């Protein structure tokens, strides 16, 4: 029977594995609702400054720009996720079709639903862009109410209704609250208690309230004044509860920095993506009878453009086209059902078939588990020993009480002793077992105190013996002696920049960004961009300045300059020694390779050289020599006669030009 395309076979394989434990691999849908306060303090502009990097946005505008940036990112990275924006404290009121002139009045006064919770569309992006860029339009809407403070209980109940109606079945629902008022109900105890009750209702609904506080030069945001009753901290019994923000965004007091917008962008981006569990409550076996439960997360995943679709344009309106695949018999071209076929594997020229039950038994290596085999120093783990993306794991109390303490003790001990655990890892039922390194990971925070990487452990898959390929033959490799390496180590260490490390957040994928920038320009009727914004292109002007700085550095710091000069002198000496040792025993050129002009000129007997060449060629080229030439992509160095003789020996056609002969030899080794 005719085989299905490769991508269809992969989809079938994935479906068979997903049928057993689908819950741990289902896609997590995320719904984010921004709640941005509009008040006199939030609309206060930063102090004037002549600096180009000065803050020019008030807190409300900065929050709207962050929401606009997140909306653009969501369209690129998570096109099926929902997002909405609600403003509270505004003079105008608007909520899901309410009529302000009705007899009952407004249910949510001073609350303006700018963008309802839904999958962002082009019109939503246009509206938000106009509000962000047009100050006149923003001034009409962003007018604070004359009331002393907005009832926060109304805002939380409003958010509850939005999430219940718009995203009832979403696994991740979050409310991003941006405000600078740390105690909105300081004089009204009943209103304060009402807000705490509404916050608890949201929490019971599964909605996480995440606070983005804003401090000013005159007032430091005090979370304990009110929001400790609204935002619930993470506990060992509830690991999914939102963690409190360690620091508040703060505008620059002098107006000389864009700290407010950068702080908000950094804080929101760090929590913009929901935690997506790869597996849940997987047992981590430390020894016989000692188990804890962990959850696994994918923190690093290559982002690719959304899958393209086909559109039928011949009807009254464009319609999406759905593709269907059919399995056909190879001899009769008759369509067959999937229940009528078996999966087969080729072995020894025969097709070995298996039923679905036999395949399941063949894949079964036991229940899902992470079993520790032993411990090794981290120095014994080579950098090349990786074949898949690492998985981040974190403790879970749902299956085994006390998992967090045991996990923390193991993580800290491995981190302190610089060791890793060798583990046997089966992610899910019917999954192939993996030999992996369980590596500790320390917590990382930025300068503002916000968490960059959480503390935990990483499952680093290791290759089996079958996964290792033979290294290519490198021939005579010239290696630098230890003295040169030691000299260069000192130079690099002396010129090392502070905190010099690769930060992926500074380098967006230029191809991906260009793809969606063009789509955005077409969808929003904007001007087409002229060229992609590529942050990976070297900054030549700064490099030139750095070269000048290096010259000045060598002038003012003779120690580094002397090391560079000493290394250059040592390099010349080592090269002279290497050349002197190699000159007496230079190898003779092989048959079929070009000789140097000097060698031809040194002998006048051309006929003798031709006879010697013919004699060497008559010996033929061996398989090993031909294979080495193919690996080094030097097949074109052989003579046509050598290539034809070798092809004749393999029973292959030997006609055509030299390019054709080289292609046949290449095809032979590729098939091998």
């Amino acid at each position: 029977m005719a085989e299905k395309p490769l991508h269809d076979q992969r989809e079938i394989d994935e479906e068979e594995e997903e049928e057993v434990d689908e819950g741990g691999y289902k896609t997590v849908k995320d719904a984010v609702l921004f709640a941005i306060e509009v008040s006199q303090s939030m609309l206060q502009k930063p102090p004037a400054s002549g600096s180009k990097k000065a803050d020019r946005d008030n807190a409300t505008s900065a929050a709207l720009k962050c929401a606009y940036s997140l909306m653009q990112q969501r369209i690129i990275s998570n096109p099926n996720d929902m997002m909405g924006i609600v403003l509270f404290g505004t003079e105008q009121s608007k909520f899901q079709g309410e009529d302000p002139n009705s007899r009952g009045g407004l249910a949510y006064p001073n609350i303006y639903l700018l963008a309802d919770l839904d999958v962002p569309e082009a019109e939503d992006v246009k509206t938000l862009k106009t509000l962000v860029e047009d100050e006149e339009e923003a001034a009409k809407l962003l007018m604070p109410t004359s009331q002393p403070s907005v009832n926060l209980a109304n805002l939380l109940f409003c958010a509850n209704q939005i999430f219940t109606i718009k995203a009832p079945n979403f696994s991740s629902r979050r409310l991003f609250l941006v405000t600078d008022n740390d105690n909105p109900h300081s004089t009204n105890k009943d209103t304060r208690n009402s807000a705490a009750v509404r916050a608890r209702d949201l929490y019971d609904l599964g909605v996480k309230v995440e606070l983005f506080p804003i401090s000013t030069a005159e007032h430091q945001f005090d979370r304990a004044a009110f929001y400790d009753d609204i935002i619930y901290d993470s506990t060992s019994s509830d690991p999914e509860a939102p963690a409190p923000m360690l620091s508040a965004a703060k505008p620059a007091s002098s107006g000389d920095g864009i700290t407010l917008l950068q702080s908000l962008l950094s804080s929101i981006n760090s929590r913009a993506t929901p935690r997506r569990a790869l597996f849940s409550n997987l047992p981590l076996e430390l020894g016989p009878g000692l188990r804890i439960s962990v959850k696994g997360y994918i923190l690093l995943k290559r982002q690719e453009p959304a899958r393209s679709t086909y559109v039928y344009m011949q009807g009254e309106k464009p319609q999406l086209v759905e593709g269907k695949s059919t399995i056909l018999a190879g001899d009769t071209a008759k369509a067959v059902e999937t229940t009528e076929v078996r999966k087969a594997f080729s072995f020894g020229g025969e097709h070995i078939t298996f039923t679905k039950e036999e395949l399941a038994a063949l894949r079964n290596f036991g229940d899902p588990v992470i079993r520790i085999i032993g411990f090794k120093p981290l120095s014994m783990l080579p950098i090349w020993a990786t074949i898949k993306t690492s998985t981040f794991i974190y403790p879970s109390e749902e299956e085994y009480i006390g998992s967090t303490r045991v996990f923390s003790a193991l993580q800290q001990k491995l981190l302190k002793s610089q060791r890793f655990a060798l583990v046997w890892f089966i992610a899910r039922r019917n999954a192939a077992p993996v030999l992996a390194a369980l590596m500790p990971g320390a917590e990382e925070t930025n300068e503002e105190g916000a968490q960059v990487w959480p503390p935990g452990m990483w499952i680093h898959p290791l290759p089996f013996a079958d996964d290792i390929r033979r290294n290519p033959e490198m021939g005579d490799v010239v290696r630098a002696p230890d003295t040169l390496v030691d000299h260069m180590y000192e130079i690099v260490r002396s010129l090392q920049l502070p905190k010099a490390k690769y930060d992926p957040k500074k380098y967006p994928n230029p191809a991906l960004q260009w793809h969606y920038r063009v789509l955005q320009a077409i969808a929003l009727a904007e001007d087409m961009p002229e060229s992609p914004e590529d942050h990976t292109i070297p900054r030549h002007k700064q490099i030139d300045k750095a070269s000048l700085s290096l010259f000045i550095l060598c002038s003012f710091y003779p120690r580094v300059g002397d090391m560079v000069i000493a290394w250059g002198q040592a390099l010349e000496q080592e090269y002279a020694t290497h050349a002197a040792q190699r000159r007496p025993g230079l190898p003779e050129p092989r048959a079929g390779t070009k000789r140097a002009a000097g060698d031809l000129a040194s002998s006048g007997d051309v006929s003798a050289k031709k006879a010697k060449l013919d004699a060497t060629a008559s010996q033929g080229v061996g398989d090993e020599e031909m294979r080495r030439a193919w690996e080094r992509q030097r097949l074109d160095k052989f003579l046509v006669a050598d290539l034809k003789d070798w092809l004749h020996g393999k029973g292959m056609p030997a006609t055509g030009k030299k390019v054709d002969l080289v292609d046949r030899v290449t095809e032979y080794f590729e098939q091998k």
Side-chain angles (χ1 to χ4, degrees):
M1 292 186 178
E3 295 184 355
K4 297 187 70 177
L6 181 60
H7 64 275
D8 292 337
Q9 292 181 358
R10 289 176 180 172
E11 291 176 0
I12 292 177
D13 293 342
E14 292 175 357
E15 290 174 0
E16 292 176 352
E17 293 182 353
E18 296 265 339
E19 287 175 359
V20 181
D21 187 13
E22 185 179 359
Y25 276 78
K26 62 184 179 181
T27 303
V28 177
K29 293 184 179 180
D30 186 37
V32 173
L33 178 64
F34 271 86
I36 303 173
E37 185 179 12
V38 179
S39 62
Q40 294 292 348
S41 57
M42 289 283 287
L43 293 174
Q44 183 178 357
K45 290 189 176 182
S49 173
S51 174
K52 294 182 179 180
K53 297 182 179 180
D55 279 333
R56 290 178 173 82
D57 298 315
N58 55 55
T60 301
S61 299
L64 286 172
K65 287 187 176 181
C66 291
Y68 175 65
S69 175
L70 182 60
M71 184 177 289
Q72 288 180 308
Q73 295 175 13
R74 283 301 175 93
I75 293 177
I76 296 175
S77 58
N78 308 97
N80 296 323
D81 289 351
M82 288 186 176
M83 182 176 168
I85 303 174
V86 59
L87 306 175
F88 66 98
T90 57
E91 185 68 28
Q92 302 182 46
S93 301
K94 173 187 173 185
F95 180 75
Q96 292 183 340
E98 278 190 338
D99 185 7
N101 299 320
S102 62
R103 293 181 59 185
L106 292 170
Y108 306 105
N110 307 121
I111 293 178
Y112 191 92
L113 187 60
L114 180 63
D116 204 354
L117 187 65
D118 205 342
V119 176
E121 297 182 354
E123 290 299 326
D124 300 326
V125 180
K126 287 181 180 180
T127 302
L128 188 55
K129 182 182 179 182
T130 302
L131 188 63
V132 168
E133 296 180 352
D134 193 340
E135 294 184 359
E136 294 183 0
E137 290 293 330
K140 296 178 183 178
L141 178 60
L142 303 180
M143 294 182 60
T145 179
S146 57
Q147 300 293 330
S149 63
V150 179
N151 191 340
L152 198 63
N154 283 346
L155 172 66
L156 298 179
F157 188 71
C158 169
N160 191 320
Q161 185 173 347
I162 292 175
F163 282 115
T164 303
I165 296 175
K166 291 292 186 177
N169 300 321
F170 274 49
S171 304
S172 173
R173 293 178 288 184
R174 296 177 295 166
L175 176 65
F176 286 3
L177 185 59
V178 185
T179 179
D180 65 344
N181 189 356
D182 56 5
N183 197 359
H185 305 305
S186 57
T187 59
N188 193 330
K189 186 177 181 180
D190 293 337
T191 310
R192 181 189 184 99
N193 293 336
S194 178
V197 171
R198 295 303 184 190
R200 185 67 196 184
D201 292 341
L202 276 177
Y203 182 69
D204 294 338
L205 187 65
V207 178
K208 300 177 184 179
V209 182
E210 302 204 19
L211 179 66
F212 295 90
I214 296 178
S215 295
T216 63
E218 298 80 14
H219 176 70
Q220 181 68 28
F221 193 96
D222 184 10
R223 177 192 173 93
F226 173 77
Y227 282 97
D228 277 348
D229 298 331
I230 303 298
I231 312 297
Y232 295 92
D233 298 342
S234 292
T235 61
S236 58
S237 61
D238 186 15
E240 293 298 309
M245 189 175 175
L246 298 180
S247 61
K250 186 175 182 180
S253 58
S254 62
D256 291 333
I258 51 175
T259 54
L260 173 61
L261 185 57
Q262 286 183 344
S263 298
L264 273 177
L265 280 173
S266 176
S267 301
I268 290 175
N269 288 335
S270 64
R271 288 183 276 179
T273 304
R275 291 177 289 183
R276 300 172 185 254
L278 180 65
F279 50 79
S280 299
N281 301 327
L282 190 69
L284 172 58
E285 186 177 296
L286 285 75
L290 178 57
R291 286 188 170 191
I292 62 175
S293 56
V294 296
K295 289 186 177 182
Y297 301 91
I298 297 179
L299 299 187
L300 299 173
K301 187 178 183 300
R302 179 177 176 83
Q303 188 66 49
E304 298 178 352
R307 194 171 183 178
S308 59
T309 57
Y310 291 98
V311 180
Y312 178 69
M313 303 295 295
Q314 301 300 323
E316 296 180 0
K317 61 179 182 179
Q319 297 179 357
L320 290 178
V321 178
E322 296 182 359
K324 295 183 179 180
S325 57
T326 305
I327 305 177
L328 302 177
D331 50 354
T332 62
K334 176 184 175 182
V336 295
E337 300 294 333
T338 55
T339 56
E340 301 175 344
V341 298
R342 286 188 176 187
K343 180 161 289 189
F345 297 91
S346 298
F347 184 83
E350 298 183 3
H351 293 288
I352 314 299
T353 62
F354 293 89
T355 63
K356 189 174 182 179
E357 293 75 16
E358 291 172 340
L359 279 177
L362 188 65
R363 290 195 181 107
N364 187 10
F365 282 86
D367 295 331
V369 69
I370 305 174
R371 182 179 296 114
I372 295 181
I373 302 174
F375 300 92
K376 293 285 186 180
L378 279 173
S379 57
M380 296 185 64
L381 187 63
I383 192 174
W384 52 264
T386 178
I387 53 176
K388 294 181 180 179
T389 305
S390 300
T391 304
F392 181 79
I393 62 173
Y394 205 71
S396 172
E397 296 283 325
E398 297 181 14
E399 193 72 22
Y400 299 97
I401 303 299
S403 296
T404 303
R405 290 187 177 183
V406 178
F407 184 93
S408 177
L410 177 62
Q411 182 258 352
Q412 293 180 31
K413 178 58 180 177
L414 292 177
L415 197 63
K416 182 178 180 180
S417 59
Q418 289 296 297
R419 290 178 175 269
F420 71 92
L422 191 64
V423 299
W424 177 261
F425 174 43
I426 301 179
R428 62 190 186 279
R429 201 175 301 276
N430 290 345
V434 176
L435 195 66
L438 187 62
M439 304 169 59
E443 181 183 21
E444 295 184 16
T445 57
N446 57 18
E447 296 177 354
E448 289 78 19
Q451 190 181 76
V452 179
W453 286 107
M457 288 193 283
W458 296 82
I459 299 178
H460 186 76
L462 300 176
F464 288 105
D466 314 79
D467 302 325
I468 300 177
R469 299 292 180 262
R470 186 176 62 178
N471 292 331
E473 297 181 6
M474 302 300 295
D476 297 333
V477 179
V478 179
R479 299 186 181 277
D482 294 339
T483 54
L484 285 179
V485 175
D486 294 340
H487 278 81
M488 183 53 67
Y489 172 78
E490 293 296 333
I491 294 173
V492 172
R493 189 178 65 172
S494 300
L495 298 178
Q496 185 69 45
L497 297 176
K499 300 180 181 180
K501 62 179 181 180
Y502 172 71
D503 184 4
K505 296 180 180 179
K506 296 182 179 179
Y507 302 98
N509 187 342
L512 187 68
Q513 297 295 325
W514 173 248
H515 173 80
Y516 282 102
R517 182 68 185 89
V518 172
L519 293 184
Q520 176 182 330
I522 297 175
L524 304 182
E526 299 176 348
D527 295 334
M528 291 294 293
E530 297 181 357
S531 60
E533 185 177 359
D534 190 355
H535 292 280
T536 63
I537 297 177
R539 300 178 180 178
H540 301 288
K541 293 183 179 180
Q542 295 186 5
I543 292 176
D544 293 339
K545 293 181 179 179
S547 302
L548 179 60
S549 301
L550 179 61
F551 173 77
I552 298 175
L553 181 66
C554 294
S555 301
F556 285 93
Y557 295 91
R559 179 173 173 269
V560 180
D562 293 342
M563 285 193 297
V564 174
I565 296 174
W567 183 84
Q569 294 174 350
L571 175 63
E572 292 181 357
Q573 294 177 1
E574 292 292 343
Y575 177 76
T577 304
H578 171 75
Q581 293 175 351
R582 185 173 177 130
R583 189 175 292 111
L586 288 177
E588 290 292 332
R590 293 179 179 178
T593 58
K594 294 183 179 180
R595 291 177 174 267
D599 294 338
L600 294 176
S602 61
S603 177
D605 192 358
V606 179
S607 59
K609 282 185 169 33
K610 186 175 183 298
K612 182 179 179 180
L613 195 62
D614 293 340
T616 306
S618 64
Q619 298 176 2
V621 180
D623 292 347
E624 189 64 20
E625 185 178 1
M626 187 68 74
R627 184 186 62 80
R628 286 199 302 267
W630 168 72
E631 291 176 346
R632 299 175 183 176
Q633 299 182 355
R634 300 189 63 181
L635 291 175
D636 57 341
K637 301 299 181 182
F638 286 108
L639 297 176
V640 174
D642 293 333
L643 295 172
K644 288 185 175 182
D645 292 342
W646 191 86
L647 290 170
H648 276 305
K650 300 298 178 184
M652 301 174 65
T655 58
K657 298 181 180 180
K658 187 175 183 179
V659 177
D660 302 327
L661 304 178
V662 170
D663 291 341
R664 293 193 190 105
V665 176
T666 302
E667 183 180 0
Y668 173 85
F669 284 108
E670 288 178 349
Q671 292 178 352
K672 294 282 287 184

